[in-house]
């Protein structure tokens, strides 16, 4: 909510020395979140005056229309002579009153004005638009044309109220009363201890039988409806400058007089209003629920199909407006139009000021994705007692500004209701805050808010109509506490019980993150939402379990309605964005939950809010939730090692993705089996299947390798992009949770190298597994350090794998014969299982 300080001063006599910053500090202390104070016209310097266009000369030969004008600015230029100005705008003519900035002035943004030669003429100043003066959108997108009665030579800074301070307040959902100047003025008056001139306290005529006929068939949805009629409005009447400027300062665009007045009163009193062209309303105005499938074209020109829960305003034809959200186009106020017969436009209007159910309006606005200033207020709470005053204020302004006549008929339909009362122990705020306020302070603060308070030890508090958020004693206690100042509450640190530290899962999560970060990966968390098309882009089979996903009923984006079953879409999207912005050497990782629907789906039940749910109800709710295992994934592209004086560097490849998986498995204390695989987005010949063994059975927990070129093309990724994804929970389940310190032997190691020739299709991991098993207990480690292929030396279709075998005994120094025997046993078993023979 934007609140001009000049408007606020009309209702609260603030000291003349108080600035917007001072008011901001007071309101923040009172609990309102004043985000900024905008200084309008702070860098504006005159002369800025009203001028009248005397002549216009069209300049030819330029790419765009240019006009050379002479403008009468009175004595503002010191000579009284017409001011010569070059201007490109087309929305003014000879005789119009315009805003002229003269040489020596400075416009917002530090733009200095001086005489300059342009388009073959010398321009002594500028004819200004609203944007150039920092006024905001006035709807014309051109030069400001002032009313004909404006005095030539008058100071335009004062006329247009260009210098002001505007407080921008972030209003919370429970403080709908502060979505108005009236509400903020009330808070300001309380903060300063000053009286409030309530703009809603005006004389309102009593309802009678002569008002416009209205029928409310849903009193729950609409408990109050006021209708007033004004006739004889001048169609050509325009909103005065002061009214337009106030609307612009609060962030609204002036449209036409009738619409501007309803918007002005809404901002002033917080009561949304709507004006209907009386000549277009047929018969009785009604309020009812829509019939399923009914149609309505709203003021934004969109035809909307109505829902049975939508509350609508009708006449005898059908819906003419979405109640509390937006009016219909079939009763729209017509702007004035000059014809041969004179000026045509709306001359008679019906003013609607109603109070609608907050929940109904909120649901309708979201259902139709039509959030308006009116719906924003209704769903946060509008003062129902302000409807009659708002209608009267609107009528008074229309009569004053457009020469209309207020009809004597007043329609007011009210559903019976009692004021809300709360019983509050006088010492309750003291107990909540831990501060001894005392009864007098509690009563005084509640009365300042607008409550009627009776009683001694037990207070009977009647809540004001403009504060529907006050529903129980704790709400009243909060009012006392915030007005006394949150900063005055004592600060006491809670005493935390000694805990057991992080869980094993949390420790593993952190260790994995540190290990990947240490390996050069950057963490890139992503939203857990994906599109349904991403599974096709990843090349998953039609029956792949990852295609079964949980779809959100109310997603943040219609393009991403599903919860992820894999981390890859988000990570690959982050890689694509960074690559597109010039970062080509990338290594990203993420740990996060994936969401897998259960085989048997159960609908979630609504838990009660009036009591604690039972264990059975909580269990039923948990059973309806999808399984949510934690995964870890990495993606790589570009250079893995940079080139420099130290060497040529190298690009990232499938082996880096596999090594990332091994690093994660080491942190989990799990033994990871890596073998050739084929799955979804990975290249069939460069994909490793990651397996763990548990209870005598093997389980696939992930894949790593280079992505398929089709996937790279579908997702717009760099060439040779690699990826890895692992089920971290599955690794945790088979891993050893106790950190193992490395054993340091006092005996020397015996190293034996072997080079084995095998067929090219034989995976190196199978050869390694055979060597490890054949070498027996003496084998400490095995490492593949060379792969060699040469058809002339090895034969067609053959390759050489060179391994370094490290042997060590825990209780003695191995002899050469013992190490050689273990090596020979390893080679023999590798030959038996894979057909490997010693090279040479």
């Amino acid at each position: 909510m934007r609140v001009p300080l000049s408007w606020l001063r009309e209702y609260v006599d603030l000291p003349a020395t108080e600035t917007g910053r001072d008011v901001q500090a007071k309101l923040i202390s009172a609990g309102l979140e004043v985000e900024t104070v905008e200084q309008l016209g702070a860098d504006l310097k005159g002369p800025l005056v009203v001028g009248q266009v005397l002549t216009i000369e069209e300049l030819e030969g330029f790419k765009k229309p240019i006009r050379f004008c002479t403008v009468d600015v009175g004595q503002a230029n010191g000579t009284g002579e017409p001011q010569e100005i070059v201007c490109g705008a087309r929305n003014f003519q000879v005789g119009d009153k315009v805003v002229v900035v003269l040489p020596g002035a400075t416009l917002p943004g530090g733009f200095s004005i001086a005489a300059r030669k342009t388009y073959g003429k010398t321009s002594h100043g500028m004819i200004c638009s609203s944007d150039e003066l920092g006024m905001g959108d006035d709807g014309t997108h051109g030069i400001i044309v002032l009313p004909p009665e404006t005095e030539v030579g008058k100071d335009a800074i004062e006329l247009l109220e260009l210098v002001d301070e505007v407080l921008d307040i972030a209003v919370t959902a429970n403080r709908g009363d502060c979505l108005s100047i009236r509400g903020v003025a009330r808070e300001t008056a309380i903060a300063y201890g000053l009286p409030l001139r309530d703009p809603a306290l005006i004389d309102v005529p009593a309802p009678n039988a002569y008002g416009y006929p209205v029928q409310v068939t849903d009193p729950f949805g609409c408990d109050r409806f006021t209708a007033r009629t004004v006739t004889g409005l001048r169609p050509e009447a325009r909103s005065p400058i002061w009214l337009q400027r106030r609307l612009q300062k609060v962030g609204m665009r002036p449209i036409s007089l009738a619409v501007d007045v309803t918007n002005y009163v809404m901002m002033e009193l917080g009561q949304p209003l709507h004006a209907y062209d009386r000549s277009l309303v047929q018969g009785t105005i009604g309020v009812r629920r829509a019939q399923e499938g009914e149609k309505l074209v709203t003021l934004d020109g969109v035809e909307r199909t109505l829902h049975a829960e939508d509350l609508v305003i009708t006449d005898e034809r059908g819906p003419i407006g979405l109640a509390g959200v937006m009016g219909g186009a079939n009763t729209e106020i017509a702007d004035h139009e000059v014809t041969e017969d004179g000026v045509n436009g709306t001359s008679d209007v019906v003013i609607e000021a109603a109070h609608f159910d907050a929940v109904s309006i909120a649901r309708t606005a979201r259902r139709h994705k039509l959030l308006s200033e009116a719906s924003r207020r209704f769903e946060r709470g509008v003062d129902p007692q302000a409807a009659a005053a708002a209608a009267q204020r609107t009528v008074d302004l229309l009569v004053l500004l457009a020469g209309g006549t207020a009809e004597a008929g007043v329609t007011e339909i009210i559903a019976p209701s009692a004021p809300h009362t709360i019983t509050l122990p006088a010492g309750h705020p003291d107990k909540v805050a831990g501060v001894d306020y005392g009864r007098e302070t509690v009563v005084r603060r509640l009365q300042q808010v607008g409550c009627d308070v009776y009683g001694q030890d037990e207070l009977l508090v009647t809540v004001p109509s403009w504060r529907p958020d006050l529903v129980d004693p704790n709400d009243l206690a909060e009012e006392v506490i915030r007005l006394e100042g949150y900063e005055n509450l004592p600060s006491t640190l809670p005493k935390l019980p000694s805990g057991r530290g992080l869980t094993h899962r949390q420790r593993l999560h952190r260790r994995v993150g540190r290990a990947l970060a240490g390996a050069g990966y950057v963490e890139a968390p992503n939203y857990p939402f994906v599109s349904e098309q991403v599974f096709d882009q990843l090349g998953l089979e039609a029956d792949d379990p990852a295609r079964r996903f949980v779809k959100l009923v109310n997603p943040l984006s219609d393009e991403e309605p599903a919860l992820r079953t894999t981390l890859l879409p988000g990570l690959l999207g982050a890689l694509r964005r960074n690559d597109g912005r010039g970062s080509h050497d990338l290594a990203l990782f993420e740990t996060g939950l994936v969401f897998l629907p259960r085989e048997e789906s159960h609908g979630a039940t609504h838990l009660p809010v009036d009591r604690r749910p039972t264990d059975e109800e909580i269990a039923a709710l948990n059973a309806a939730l999808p399984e949510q295992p934690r995964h870890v994934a990495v993606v790589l592209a570009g250079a893995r090692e940079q080139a420099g004086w130290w060497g040529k560097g190298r690009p990232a490849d499938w082996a880096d993705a596999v090594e990332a998986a091994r690093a994660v498995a080491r942190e989990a204390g799990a033994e990871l089996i890596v073998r050739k695989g084929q799955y979804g987005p990975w290249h069939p010949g460069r994909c490793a299947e990651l397996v763990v063994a548990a209870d005598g059975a093997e389980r696939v927990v992930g894949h790593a390798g280079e992505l398929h070129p089709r996937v790279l093309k579908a997702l717009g990724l760099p060439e040779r992009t690699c990826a890895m994804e692992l089920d971290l929970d599955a690794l945790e389940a088979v891993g050893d949770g106790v950190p193992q310190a490395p054993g340091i032997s006092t005996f020397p190691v015996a190293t034996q190298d072997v080079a084995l020739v095998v067929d090219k299709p034989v995976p190196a991991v199978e050869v390694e597994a055979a060597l490890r098993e054949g070498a027996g207990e003496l084998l400490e480690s095995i490492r593949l350090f060379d792969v060699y292929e040469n058809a002339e030396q090895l034969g067609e279709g053959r390759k050489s794998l060179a391994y370094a075998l490290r042997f060590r005994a825990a209780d003695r120094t191995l002899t050469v014969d013992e190490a050689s025997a273990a090596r020979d046993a390893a080679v023999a078993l590798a030959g038996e299982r894979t057909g490997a023979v010693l090279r040479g």
Side-chain angles (χ1 to χ4, degrees):
M1 175 68 190
R2 291 171 56 85
V3 180
L5 189 59
S6 59
W7 198 350
L8 194 62
R9 288 181 182 275
E10 284 197 6
Y11 310 126
V12 184
D13 288 327
L14 294 172
T17 56
E18 288 293 283
T19 66
R21 297 289 184 190
D22 298 328
V23 177
Q24 178 189 30
K26 285 283 190 180
L27 292 179
I28 289 176
S29 179
L32 293 186
E33 187 179 347
V34 186
E35 294 186 325
T36 60
V37 178
E38 185 178 351
Q39 306 289 334
L40 299 183
D43 51 356
L44 178 63
K45 177 185 174 184
L48 188 72
V49 299
V50 176
Q52 183 172 20
V53 180
L54 301 177
T55 65
I56 297 177
E57 178 188 351
E58 301 288 346
L59 302 182
E60 305 292 340
F62 299 103
K63 293 183 179 179
K64 61 180 181 178
I66 299 297
R67 311 167 97 186
F68 181 65
C69 311
T70 59
V71 185
D72 178 15
V73 294
Q75 297 298 319
N77 58 5
T79 65
E81 296 294 324
Q83 201 79 0
E84 297 179 340
I85 299 175
V86 175
C87 184
R90 313 289 296 175
N91 68 313
F92 66 94
Q93 58 189 359
V94 173
D96 281 347
K97 302 289 180 62
V98 294
V99 179
V100 179
V101 57
L102 301 177
T106 303
L107 293 182
F111 182 50
S112 300
I113 303 300
R116 63 190 184 95
K117 190 167 184 179
T118 179
Y119 297 104
K121 301 285 187 178
T122 300
S123 182
H124 299 274
M126 286 176 54
I127 301 176
C128 297
S129 67
S130 59
D131 286 340
E132 290 164 339
L133 297 179
M135 294 170 55
D137 185 12
D138 63 356
T140 64
H141 303 291
I143 293 303
I144 301 171
V145 179
L146 300 171
E149 64 272 14
T150 310
E151 178 186 350
V152 171
K154 184 178 178 64
D155 183 2
I157 296 178
E158 179 183 352
L159 175 70
L160 299 177
E161 302 178 16
L162 297 178
V163 178
D164 202 350
E165 294 180 276
V166 179
L167 286 71
D168 194 349
I169 304 175
V171 179
T172 54
N174 66 317
R175 291 302 305 271
D177 60 305
C178 288
L179 287 173
S180 66
I181 304 297
R182 179 196 183 201
V184 177
R186 183 181 293 108
E187 291 294 319
T188 305
I190 295 172
Y192 278 91
L194 296 172
L196 168 70
R197 287 188 293 275
D198 192 341
L201 294 180
I202 58 178
D203 293 331
V204 177
N208 53 54
Y210 308 107
Y212 197 93
V214 174
Q215 182 179 9
V216 177
T217 59
D218 189 340
F220 176 79
C222 176
D223 57 9
R224 185 179 294 262
F225 195 105
T226 301
R228 300 290 299 276
T229 304
V230 182
T231 60
L233 300 176
R234 297 194 310 272
E236 73 278 6
R238 298 174 54 189
S239 300
I241 293 173
W242 64 266
L243 179 58
Q244 295 187 44
R245 287 296 296 132
R246 285 193 170 178
L247 289 177
Q248 289 174 327
K249 289 177 184 179
V250 298
M252 303 192 77
R253 179 173 63 87
I255 298 174
S256 64
L257 177 59
V259 177
D260 292 350
V261 167
T262 57
N263 286 337
Y264 177 85
V265 175
M266 176 178 67
M267 289 296 175
E268 182 181 55
L269 301 182
Q271 168 66 54
L273 302 107
H274 190 70
Y276 301 93
D277 189 328
R278 182 176 181 179
S279 65
L280 300 178
V281 179
Q282 298 180 13
T284 300
I285 291 179
V287 183
R288 62 169 171 82
R289 298 289 173 172
Q291 298 174 9
E292 190 70 36
E294 274 189 304
K295 305 288 185 180
L296 171 66
V297 178
T298 46
L299 288 174
D300 56 1
V302 177
E303 182 180 69
R304 303 185 184 277
T305 301
L306 303 181
H307 188 274
E309 291 185 4
D310 292 335
L311 197 65
V312 293
I313 310 297
T314 65
D315 63 6
E316 63 183 23
R317 296 168 298 177
I320 60 174
L322 266 179
V325 180
M326 184 175 287
N330 52 358
T331 56
E332 182 180 6
I333 299 292
D335 202 359
H336 77 276
E337 179 183 7
V338 180
T339 65
E340 295 180 357
D341 300 329
V343 178
N344 293 328
T346 299
S347 58
D348 301 341
V349 298
V350 178
I351 306 299
E352 166 209 307
H355 184 260
F356 301 111
D357 175 58
V359 174
S360 176
I361 299 305
R363 288 177 176 172
T364 295
R366 282 156 180 75
R367 184 180 299 119
H368 295 281
K369 298 180 181 178
L370 186 60
L371 302 181
S372 64
E373 290 290 346
S375 68
R376 184 181 174 213
R377 283 161 175 78
F378 276 123
E379 65 187 44
R380 285 166 172 78
V382 169
D383 181 5
Q385 303 289 343
Q392 182 62 45
R393 180 80 166 122
T394 304
V395 168
D396 292 343
L397 287 172
L398 289 175
V399 170
L400 174 67
L401 301 176
T405 301
E407 289 194 351
V410 177
T411 301
E412 190 166 24
I413 299 176
I414 303 175
S417 63
H420 181 54
T421 59
I422 303 172
T423 300
L424 174 73
H428 184 66
D430 300 7
K431 293 179 180 179
V432 173
V435 176
D436 187 12
Y437 291 124
R439 178 188 177 281
E440 290 185 2
T441 299
V442 172
V443 171
R444 175 171 55 86
R445 288 303 190 184
L446 293 179
Q447 288 175 339
Q448 287 178 331
V449 171
C451 299
D452 291 330
V453 185
Y454 302 95
Q456 292 299 320
D457 295 336
E458 288 287 330
L459 303 178
L460 185 63
V461 182
T462 302
V463 174
S465 59
W466 56 82
R467 291 299 302 274
D469 59 306
L470 303 181
V471 295
D472 60 39
N474 287 327
D475 295 329
L476 299 179
E478 183 182 2
E479 291 299 297
V480 175
I481 295 168
R482 75 174 181 88
L483 294 179
E484 283 294 303
Y486 290 120
E487 68 276 9
N488 296 323
L489 293 177
S491 176
T492 304
L493 294 177
K495 295 180 179 179
L496 298 178
S498 59
R500 292 174 294 177
L502 300 177
T503 65
H504 173 63
R505 190 184 194 209
Q506 291 170 330
R507 289 195 297 271
L508 174 60
H509 183 200
R510 292 192 179 187
R511 289 203 309 271
V512 167
R514 285 195 294 266
L516 291 175
Y521 292 86
V522 177
E523 188 170 13
N526 295 282
Y527 286 116
F529 312 117
V530 296
S531 67
E532 299 180 49
Q533 293 75 32
V534 74
F535 303 108
D536 295 327
Q537 295 170 332
L538 290 176
L540 300 182
E541 298 291 339
D543 58 349
D544 194 296
R547 282 185 175 271
R548 293 185 64 243
F549 55 82
V550 177
K551 191 171 183 179
L552 299 175
V553 175
N554 188 22
L556 291 179
S557 169
D558 291 337
E559 296 179 357
E560 295 180 334
L563 288 174
R564 67 190 179 190
T565 57
T566 166
L567 300 182
L568 290 184
L571 269 181
L572 293 174
L575 185 140
R576 179 179 62 248
R577 285 191 299 275
N578 282 275
D579 181 72
R581 293 170 183 173
S583 298
H584 304 302
D585 303 325
L586 296 162
L588 309 177
F589 84 93
E590 179 181 7
T591 58
L593 303 180
V594 297
F595 305 86
L596 309 176
R598 300 180 186 272
E599 293 296 332
E600 295 183 5
S601 119
H602 302 279
T605 57
H606 292 282
L607 296 182
V609 295
D610 58 341
R611 59 175 173 81
R612 184 190 183 280
T614 64
D615 293 341
E616 292 75 14
E617 289 172 332
I618 295 175
L621 180 64
N622 288 333
L625 297 177
E627 296 181 10
Q628 301 175 49
R630 183 176 294 277
H631 281 203
V632 58
V634 305
V635 293
L636 307 98
R640 185 67 177 133
E641 296 178 3
Q642 296 290 337
W645 56 266
W646 53 84
K648 295 181 180 180
R650 68 174 182 84
D653 61 17
W654 62 269
D656 294 302
V658 174
E659 180 56 32
R662 288 196 171 105
V664 172
R666 283 194 294 271
E667 295 300 325
E671 183 177 350
L672 194 67
I673 302 171
V674 180
R675 62 192 183 201
K676 183 179 179 181
Q678 182 173 343
Y679 177 70
W682 280 276
H683 192 296
R686 298 168 187 158
C687 174
E689 187 175 72
L690 309 176
V691 181
V692 294
D695 299 328
E698 292 185 346
R699 176 185 172 187
V700 178
V701 294
H703 294 83
E706 184 179 315
L707 296 181
H708 198 289
R710 286 197 299 268
V711 174
L712 302 182
K713 182 178 180 181
L715 295 176
L717 299 171
E719 293 183 357
R720 311 304 291 270
T721 296
C722 300
M724 177 278 292
E725 183 167 10
L726 271 174
D727 186 336
L728 194 55
D729 284 355
L731 281 182
E732 179 189 0
V734 302
D736 185 355
V738 180
Q740 298 293 330
I744 301 176
S745 175
T746 59
F747 297 99
V749 66
T751 302
Q752 297 272 0
D753 293 346
V754 295
L756 303 177
V757 178
V758 297
D759 293 336
K760 284 185 179 181
V762 176
V765 68
E766 293 184 7
V767 178
E768 179 179 324
L771 289 173
R772 187 184 300 275
E773 183 179 345
E777 296 181 353
L778 295 179
L779 181 67
E780 182 180 81
S781 68
I782 181 172
R783 179 175 63 89
L784 175 67
F785 67 86
D786 184 54
V787 178
Y788 177 70
E789 296 179 4
N790 188 310
E792 294 182 2
Q793 297 184 17
L794 304 177
E796 193 68 34
R798 304 279 281 174
K799 64 181 178 183
S800 170
L801 304 176
Y803 292 90
L805 308 179
R806 291 168 59 92
F807 298 96
R808 196 193 313 255
D811 56 351
R812 67 188 187 282
T813 300
L814 292 177
T815 64
V816 174
D817 291 340
E818 288 178 309
S820 298
R823 180 202 63 187
D824 293 342
V827 172
L829 186 60
E832 179 183 336
R833 290 188 176 178
T834 66
V837 296
L838 282 172
R839 182 178 168 187

Coordinates of all heavy atoms in Angstrom, one line a residue, residues 507-519 521 523 589 591 632 664 667 728:
R507 N 24.6 -36.3 8.9 CA 26.1 -36.3 8.8 C 26.5 -36.8 7.4 O 27.4 -36.3 6.8 CB 26.7 -37.2 9.9 CG 26.6 -36.6 11.3 CD 27.5 -37.3 12.3 NE 27.1 -38.7 12.4 CZ 26.3 -39.2 13.3 NH1 25.7 -38.3 14.2 NH2 26.0 -40.4 13.5
L508 N 25.9 -37.9 6.9 CA 26.2 -38.4 5.6 C 25.9 -37.3 4.5 O 26.8 -37.1 3.6 CB 25.4 -39.7 5.3 CG 25.6 -40.2 3.9 CD1 27.0 -40.6 3.6 CD2 24.7 -41.5 3.7
H509 N 24.8 -36.7 4.6 CA 24.5 -35.6 3.7 C 25.5 -34.6 3.6 O 26.0 -34.1 2.6 CB 23.1 -35.0 4.1 CG 22.6 -34.0 3.2 ND1 21.7 -33.0 3.5 CD2 22.9 -33.7 1.9 CE1 21.5 -32.2 2.5 NE2 22.2 -32.6 1.5
R510 N 26.0 -34.1 4.8 CA 27.1 -33.1 4.8 C 28.4 -33.6 4.3 O 29.1 -32.9 3.6 CB 27.2 -32.6 6.3 CG 26.0 -31.8 6.8 CD 26.3 -31.1 8.0 NE 25.1 -30.4 8.5 CZ 25.1 -29.5 9.5 NH1 26.2 -29.3 10.2 NH2 24.0 -28.9 9.9
R511 N 28.7 -34.9 4.7 CA 30.0 -35.4 4.2 C 30.0 -35.5 2.7 O 31.0 -35.2 2.0 CB 30.3 -36.8 4.8 CG 30.6 -36.8 6.3 CD 31.4 -38.0 6.7 NE 30.7 -39.3 6.2 CZ 29.8 -39.9 6.9 NH1 29.4 -39.5 8.1 NH2 29.3 -41.0 6.5
V512 N 28.9 -36.0 2.1 CA 28.8 -36.1 0.6 C 29.0 -34.7 0.0 O 29.7 -34.5 -1.0 CB 27.5 -36.7 0.2 CG1 27.2 -36.6 -1.3 CG2 27.5 -38.2 0.6
G513 N 28.3 -33.7 0.6 CA 28.4 -32.3 0.0 C 29.9 -31.8 0.1 O 30.4 -31.2 -0.9
R514 N 30.5 -32.1 1.2 CA 31.9 -31.6 1.3 C 32.8 -32.3 0.4 O 33.8 -31.8 -0.2 CB 32.4 -31.8 2.8 CG 31.8 -30.8 3.8 CD 32.6 -30.8 5.1 NE 32.4 -32.0 5.8 CZ 31.5 -32.3 6.7 NH1 30.7 -31.3 7.0 NH2 31.4 -33.4 7.3
A515 N 32.6 -33.6 0.2 CA 33.5 -34.4 -0.7 C 33.3 -34.0 -2.1 O 34.3 -33.8 -2.8 CB 33.1 -35.9 -0.6
L516 N 32.1 -33.7 -2.6 CA 31.9 -33.3 -3.9 C 32.4 -31.8 -4.1 O 33.0 -31.5 -5.2 CB 30.4 -33.3 -4.3 CG 29.9 -34.8 -4.4 CD1 28.4 -34.7 -4.7 CD2 30.6 -35.5 -5.6
A517 N 32.2 -31.0 -3.1 CA 32.8 -29.6 -3.2 C 34.3 -29.7 -3.3 O 34.9 -28.9 -4.0 CB 32.3 -28.8 -2.1
G518 N 34.9 -30.6 -2.5 CA 36.3 -30.7 -2.5 C 36.8 -31.2 -3.8 O 38.0 -31.0 -4.2
A519 N 36.0 -31.9 -4.6 CA 36.4 -32.5 -5.9 C 36.1 -31.4 -7.0 O 36.3 -31.8 -8.2 CB 35.6 -33.7 -6.2
Y521 N 33.1 -29.6 -7.5 CA 31.7 -29.4 -7.9 C 31.1 -28.3 -7.1 O 31.5 -28.0 -6.0 CB 30.9 -30.7 -7.6 CG 31.3 -31.9 -8.5 CD1 32.3 -32.7 -8.2 CD2 30.6 -32.1 -9.7 CE1 32.7 -33.8 -9.0 CE2 30.9 -33.1 -10.5 CZ 32.0 -34.0 -10.2 OH 32.3 -35.0 -11.0
E523 N 27.6 -26.7 -5.7 CA 26.2 -27.1 -5.3 C 25.2 -26.2 -6.0 O 25.3 -24.9 -5.9 CB 26.0 -27.1 -3.8 CG 24.6 -27.7 -3.4 CD 24.5 -27.9 -2.0 OE1 25.3 -27.4 -1.2 OE2 23.5 -28.6 -1.5
F589 N 26.5 -30.1 -8.6 CA 26.0 -31.2 -7.9 C 24.8 -30.8 -7.1 O 24.6 -29.6 -6.8 CB 27.0 -31.9 -7.0 CG 27.2 -31.3 -5.7 CD1 26.4 -31.8 -4.5 CD2 28.1 -30.2 -5.5 CE1 26.6 -31.2 -3.3 CE2 28.2 -29.7 -4.2 CZ 27.5 -30.1 -3.1
T591 N 22.1 -32.5 -3.9 CA 21.5 -33.6 -3.1 C 20.1 -33.1 -2.7 O 19.9 -32.0 -2.3 CB 22.3 -33.9 -1.8 OG1 22.4 -32.7 -1.0 CG2 23.7 -34.4 -2.1
V632 N 21.6 -38.1 -4.9 CA 22.7 -37.2 -5.2 C 23.0 -37.3 -6.7 O 22.9 -38.4 -7.2 CB 23.9 -37.5 -4.3 CG1 24.4 -38.9 -4.5 CG2 25.0 -36.5 -4.6
V664 N 31.2 -40.6 -3.5 CA 30.0 -40.6 -2.6 C 29.9 -41.9 -1.9 O 29.6 -42.0 -0.7 CB 28.7 -40.4 -3.5 CG1 27.4 -40.6 -2.7 CG2 28.7 -39.0 -4.1
E667 N 32.2 -42.0 1.1 CA 31.7 -41.3 2.3 C 30.6 -42.1 3.0 O 30.4 -42.0 4.2 CB 31.1 -39.9 1.8 CG 32.1 -39.0 1.2 CD 33.2 -38.6 2.3 OE1 32.9 -38.5 3.5 OE2 34.4 -38.5 1.9
L728 N 21.0 -42.0 -2.6 CA 21.8 -41.8 -1.4 C 21.3 -42.6 -0.2 O 22.1 -43.2 0.6 CB 21.9 -40.4 -1.0 CG 23.0 -39.9 0.0 CD1 24.4 -40.4 -0.5 CD2 23.0 -38.4 0.2

